[in-house]
């Protein structure tokens, strides 16, 4: 009798274990939160998001950044394809922008000056004569708050920030909210929401670098790029727009059909010389669902970019020099990563002819960008 009881107990226990193993990841396992350090007196977390396909991305509230995107190649071999650092210290001391949210004004504002309603505002200069990416104390360098979400259906993380009036010279207290969702189709959906209590300007983006061979595995010159843009924004020698919106047709900037990054990057074309390669905003046609794609033929990895924003900054890592040592001890060398930073055009506050970047009190800025990963 005792033996039968024991056997039934073992059977029940085994059934429980098997059922538990077959269960989809529970909500608390979809997002794992670890404390990795403190910075500016605030806790810094690493958040590991696992989707139903078993693929992992990692985020941190330091700069609200993406620090790891691990997706399979066409043979199912997984690799991390975005720039980041292995340790808290190397992240704090490392390149300020890898994977971070950039604000208040992503890209450059000429001479760090703009005028709103007759008042001139002066920003911190940090890029030659210009202000870049919200200044040295921009949102990439802030420790954001991490909201604890109850029972999200898919892996989701929300970061929030209160950016005070006159931070780096920008008017208005701004409430910023960035939601990252990692879907079962390997899409990172980024939702931005911002509101201000004073008229101000805003251009928010994510500054992830991608190398679809795997971050640190060679350059991106063989990546095949499509950008659905008939025009781009030419710049001067300090990378400030001249005001022209130039048709891409017949130029090395025509990515309306696939071209590798390397095919024309060395051509003797004024904008490639001024940009030291591609470092330009493309004016999106916004006619199709997908605005840009990057395909890497060796691994078969494909990245699709979708946004509701008017532009995308295509940057081919022309300033990378191998000094930053990233994940797995690999240096990030010249042109070993590319960025597709969705948003508005550089220096729009000084170009009334560009789509406006003004945000008024009472308005809510909402925007979405999606990076989708698959194989071909
Ligand atoms: C990009 C910009 C580049 C460079 C980089 C940061 O957004 O287009 O010119 O400043 O950020 O190193």
């Amino acid at each position: 009798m005792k033996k039968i009881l024991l056997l039934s107990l073992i059977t029940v226990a085994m059934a429980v274990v098997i059922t538990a193993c077959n269960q989809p990841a529970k909500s608390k396992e979809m997002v794992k939160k670890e404390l990795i350090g403190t910075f500016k007196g605030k806790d810094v977390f690493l958040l590991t998001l696992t989707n139903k396909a078993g693929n992992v991305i990692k985020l941190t509230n330091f700069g609200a950044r993406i620090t790891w995107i691990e997706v399979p190649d066409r043979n199912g071999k997984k690799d991390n394809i975005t720039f980041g650092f292995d340790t808290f210290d190397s992240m704090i001391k490392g390149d300020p922008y890898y994977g971070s949210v950039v604000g208040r004004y992503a890209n450059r504002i000429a001479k760090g000056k703009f005028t709103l309603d007759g008042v001139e505002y002066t920003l911190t200069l940090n890029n030659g004569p210009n202000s870049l990416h919200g200044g040295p104390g921009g949102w990439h360098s802030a420790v954001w708050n991490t909201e604890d979400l109850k029972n999200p259906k898919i892996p989701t993380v929300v970061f929030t920030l209160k950016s005070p009036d006159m931070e780096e010279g920008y008017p208005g207290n701004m409430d910023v909210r960035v939601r990252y969702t990692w879907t079962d189709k390997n899409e990172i959906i980024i939702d931005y929401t911002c509101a201000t209590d004073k008229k101000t300007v805003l251009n928010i983006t994510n500054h992830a670098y991608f190398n679809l061979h795997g971050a640190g595995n060679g350059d991106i010159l063989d990546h095949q790029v499509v950008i659905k843009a008939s025009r781009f924004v030419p710049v001067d020698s300090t990378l400030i727009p001249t005001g022209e919106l130039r048709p891409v047709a017949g130029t090395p900037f025509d990515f309306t059909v696939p071209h590798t990054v390397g095919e024309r990057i060395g051509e003797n074309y004024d904008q490639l010389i001024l940009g030291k390669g591609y470092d330009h905003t493309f004016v999106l046609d916004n006619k199709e669902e997908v605005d840009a794609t990057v395909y890497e033929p060796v691994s078969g990895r494909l990245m699709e970019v979708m946004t509701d924003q008017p532009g995308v900054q295509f940057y081919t890592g022309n300033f990378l020099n191998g000094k930053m040592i990233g994940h797995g001890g690999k240096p990030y060398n010249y042109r070993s990563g590319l960025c597709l930073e969705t948003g508005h055009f550089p220096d729009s506050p000084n170009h009334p002819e560009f789509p406006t970047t003004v945000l008024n009190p009472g308005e809510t800025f909402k925007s979405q960008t999606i990076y989708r990963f698959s194989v071909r």
Side-chain angles (χ1 to χ4, degrees), residues 35-40 44-46 60 62 65 67 84-96 98 324-327:
L35 182 66
I36 53 168
T38 53
F39 187 63
K40 298 180 178 169
V44 176
F45 301 102
L46 184 69
T60 169
F62 172 61
R65 69 190 66 215
T67 176
F85 300 100
D86 281 336
T87 65
F88 172 73
D89 279 352
S90 54
M91 182 172 74
I92 299 290
K93 291 186 199 129
D95 184 280
Y98 293 172
M324 288 293 151
I325 308 296
H327 288 304

Side-chain angles (χ1 to χ4, degrees), residues 40-148:
K40 298 180 178 169
K42 291 190 181 150
D43 288 345
V44 176
F45 301 102
L46 184 69
L47 299 120
T48 303
L49 288 73
T50 307
N51 66 11
K52 281 217 182 95
N55 295 318
V56 168
I57 66 166
K58 295 182 190 180
L59 311 173
T60 169
N61 59 325
F62 172 61
R65 69 190 66 215
I66 303 171
T67 176
W68 184 269
I69 304 171
E70 194 181 323
V71 283
D73 67 8
R74 68 161 79 80
N75 300 315
K77 187 181 158 286
K78 293 185 188 183
D79 209 338
N80 164 51
I81 50 93
T82 200
F83 284 14
F85 300 100
D86 281 336
T87 65
F88 172 73
D89 279 352
S90 54
M91 182 172 74
I92 299 290
K93 291 186 199 129
D95 184 280
Y97 305 119
Y98 293 172
S100 72
V101 166
V102 177
R104 287 205 197 174
Y105 203 96
N107 218 304
R108 292 170 177 82
I109 294 189
K111 304 194 169 52
K113 284 197 188 297
F114 66 94
T115 304
L116 278 179
D117 291 342
V119 179
E120 188 181 71
Y121 293 96
T122 302
L123 310 170
T124 323
L125 302 183
N126 59 342
N127 191 250
N130 304 318
S131 178
L132 174 72
H133 293 334
W139 297 345
H140 59 276
S141 67
V143 180
W144 295 53
N145 301 311
T146 311
E147 275 188 9
D148 283 318

